[in-house]
Amino acid sequence: MPADLLTTTTDLLRSVFRRHAAGVAVITARGEAGPVGFTATSLTSVSAEPPLLSFGIGTNASSWPAMAEAGHVGVHLLGEHQQELAATFARSGAHRFGAPTAWREGPEGVPVLDGVLAWLVGRVVARVPAGDHRIVIAEVVHGDPTGTGRPLLYHQGRFRRLGD
């Protein structure tokens, strides 16, 4: 076996998906103690009829308790100008909704971030166990696709800009 082959499937999975460029989203919800949110690259369009989306969240994430109970979630597609915002929502222990984060209460009481490329609010319809994560499925009920700019990407462990 070549020396550079990975010996565990967990390391293999992580190594392969570091090569997969993904759009960057921030998922938000209203929690009992205030707004919560996290950076996600696992956002997926699931169905057009009905309009469903999904994302994954670790059950050890600080946002999980609120996400586990939330009736609605916000999904925000970040632009390349929002690398610091993405990093803030990815950082453990960060005060994610304090300055300089600009946000407002949106439809269904969901925190909506300002300046994003697009946002959606979805009604949670399922939370599916998947190892140490949950796959949250939500039906789109509100949104705004009119932000401007180019998408922020995540690749090889870094936030990146889209090349031409």
Side-chain angles (χ1 to χ4, degrees), residues 35-157:
V36 299
F38 66 97
T39 299
T41 57
S42 62
L43 181 63
T44 304
S45 170
V46 173
S47 168
E49 287 299 327
L52 299 175
L53 61 84
S54 71
F55 59 87
I57 179 172
T59 55
N60 62 347
S62 62
S63 297
W64 171 242
M67 292 287 168
E69 300 295 326
H72 290 83
V73 294
V75 176
H76 308 81
L77 303 183
L78 300 191
E80 62 186 11
H81 63 286
Q82 295 177 303
Q83 289 185 27
E84 187 53 42
L85 182 67
T88 296
F89 276 83
R91 196 169 27 253
S92 180
H95 184 52
R96 297 172 179 158
F97 289 90
T101 302
W103 66 282
R104 66 191 182 286
E105 185 174 310
E108 312 299 337
V110 172
V112 172
L113 302 175
D114 293 339
V116 297
L117 297 184
W119 60 267
L120 297 167
V121 170
R123 180 180 57 82
V124 175
V125 297
R127 293 174 183 87
V128 181
D132 62 355
H133 278 61
R134 296 296 180 266
I135 305 302
V136 178
I137 301 172
E139 182 175 2
V140 174
V141 293
H142 303 283
D144 181 357
T146 62
T148 60
R150 293 164 54 103
L152 180 62
L153 299 178
Y154 190 74
H155 181 252
Q156 293 286 50

